[in-house]
Amino acid sequence: PEVAKLKKQFKYAEDLKIPFTIIVGETERQSGKYMVKDQLTGVQESLSLEEIGDKLLNRDFSVEFRSESQKSNKIKAFDEES
């Protein structure tokens, strides 16, 4: 997609408090490495599917997301008791 569309999609993911987005394009498919963006920090890194799985399994999903006023709201993405 166009850069403007990607930015809109990243913003949508941030609004929904989705912690990671993964970009899969032709280059990523061919290389077996996928661009993973941490929605909280904005850091992007190229990872294999195995590395993505490890990252998600080892991640503490109690994270803080920036609100539009740049204040943080504590969220819990996974409740171990449910």
Side-chain angles (χ1 to χ4, degrees):
E2 300 168 11
V3 173
K5 287 183 181 180
L6 277 176
K7 286 183 182 182
K8 197 172 194 178
Q9 290 172 353
F10 288 138
K11 174 72 172 120
Y12 179 75
E14 184 177 333
D15 290 346
L16 291 178
K17 310 267 188 270
I18 297 170
F20 293 99
T21 53
I22 301 174
I23 300 169
V24 181
E26 192 58 39
T27 303
E28 289 80 11
R29 282 190 203 107
Q30 290 177 0
S31 70
K33 295 274 192 167
Y34 304 89
M35 189 60 61
V36 178
K37 180 177 180 183
D38 183 316
Q39 289 294 119
L40 177 62
T41 65
V43 172
Q44 295 185 60
E45 53 189 326
S46 183
L47 301 172
S48 69
L49 290 176
E50 184 177 343
E51 292 168 321
I52 293 169
D54 289 344
K55 185 175 194 72
L56 295 177
L57 288 173
N58 295 317
R59 173 75 183 231
D60 176 9
F61 282 99
S62 294
V63 295
E64 290 185 18
F65 279 84
R66 299 178 302 268
S67 69
E68 294 199 69
S69 65
Q70 298 301 313
K71 293 181 182 177
S72 296
N73 295 317
K74 193 79 169 178
I75 66 159
K76 179 93 173 162
F78 180 76
D79 182 2
E80 295 176 14
E81 295 179 6
S82 6

